[in-house]
Amino acid sequence: MDEPSAHPLHLTVTGLSVEFSHEGGVFRAVDDISFSLSRGCTLGIVGESGSGKSITSLSIMRLIPSPPGNISHGDIDFYDEGGNCIDLLTLSEREMRSWRGKRIAMIFQEPMTSLNPAYRCGRQVMENILQHEKVSRKEAGIRTIDLFNEVLLPRPEEVFRSYPHQ
């Protein structure tokens, strides 16, 4: 796709197929899925256990372990603010890391496993801010507490210092 439509698309997935190699051959986990997601919209992927929801999302984020995983077919195009089409499958790993969390993100299926239990909540949210914005650790900490306030977490300063299980 060269240009977004009149209502600019932010993400277009076309004909995505993902396979995993194993001793007995190749297993196709996602088979020819296509969808478009407009800027400012949220997409919920629903299906039975094992239907490929997580693999689809992880593929878009380029988080499929390779090997054994492989995006065998398809396109994943992201339109930036200027309407330019970026093929996420051609970005280097370093470029893709700069996109994750700032321009494209996913909420994992199991909320209790979304945060690493070994690190405090504030530190984990701060990492994303520090990765994508040029701010000091102090400013990232303030912004993290502001985000906790924005989503109405009770006692945001306490949550900042807490571990996910707390």
Side-chain angles (χ1 to χ4, degrees), residues 27-47:
F27 168 74
R28 183 166 279 180
V30 174
D31 189 15
D32 194 31
I33 189 170
S34 298
F35 59 86
S36 295
L37 180 62
S38 296
R39 171 170 279 137
C41 294
T42 302
L43 174 67
I45 301 175
V46 180

Side-chain angles (χ1 to χ4, degrees), residues 103-165:
R103 292 185 167 174
I104 190 168
M106 70 183 268
I107 299 170
F108 290 92
Q109 190 171 351
E110 295 295 329
M112 291 305 290
T113 61
S114 295
L115 294 174
N116 186 326
Y119 299 103
R120 297 179 192 274
C121 297
R123 175 182 173 185
Q124 293 182 66
V125 174
M126 278 179 55
E127 281 180 19
N128 194 37
I129 293 169
L130 291 168
Q131 170 77 28
H132 297 292
E133 300 177 27
K134 300 210 182 306
V135 296
S136 68
R137 291 190 68 74
K138 182 178 180 180
E139 177 63 23
I142 292 168
R143 293 185 63 190
T144 298
I145 291 172
D146 289 345
L147 287 171
F148 288 173
N149 272 312
E150 190 175 325
V151 297
L152 305 175
L153 287 178
R155 303 175 316 283
E157 291 83 5
E158 190 176 319
V159 171
F160 183 91
R161 293 186 302 274
S162 299
Y163 290 92
H165 67 278

Side-chain angles (χ1 to χ4, degrees), residues 2-155:
D2 296 327
E3 288 185 346
S5 63
H7 183 74
L9 298 174
H10 214 74
L11 176 70
T12 301
V13 176
T14 309
L16 180 67
S17 294
V18 182
E19 299 175 339
F20 287 86
S21 300
H22 56 88
E23 294 173 10
V26 175
F27 168 74
R28 183 166 279 180
V30 174
D31 189 15
D32 194 31
I33 189 170
S34 298
F35 59 86
S36 295
L37 180 62
S38 296
R39 171 170 279 137
C41 294
T42 302
L43 174 67
I45 301 175
V46 180
E48 296 178 18
S49 180
S51 65
K53 303 177 301 289
S54 295
I55 297 299
T56 297
S57 300
L58 289 168
S59 296
I60 293 167
M61 301 289 291
R62 297 250 320 267
L63 293 172
I64 294 291
S66 177
N70 175 47
I71 297 174
S72 59
H73 184 263
D75 297 303
I76 303 172
D77 296 323
F78 190 93
Y79 294 92
D80 69 10
E81 294 78 13
N84 301 307
C85 179
I86 291 90
D87 179 353
L88 295 184
L89 296 177
T90 64
L91 295 179
S92 70
E93 178 55 29
R94 183 176 185 199
E95 291 170 315
M96 194 63 205
R97 266 195 314 272
S98 74
W99 278 67
R100 287 186 205 116
K102 182 160 179 90
R103 292 185 167 174
I104 190 168
M106 70 183 268
I107 299 170
F108 290 92
Q109 190 171 351
E110 295 295 329
M112 291 305 290
T113 61
S114 295
L115 294 174
N116 186 326
Y119 299 103
R120 297 179 192 274
C121 297
R123 175 182 173 185
Q124 293 182 66
V125 174
M126 278 179 55
E127 281 180 19
N128 194 37
I129 293 169
L130 291 168
Q131 170 77 28
H132 297 292
E133 300 177 27
K134 300 210 182 306
V135 296
S136 68
R137 291 190 68 74
K138 182 178 180 180
E139 177 63 23
I142 292 168
R143 293 185 63 190
T144 298
I145 291 172
D146 289 345
L147 287 171
F148 288 173
N149 272 312
E150 190 175 325
V151 297
L152 305 175
L153 287 178
R155 303 175 316 283

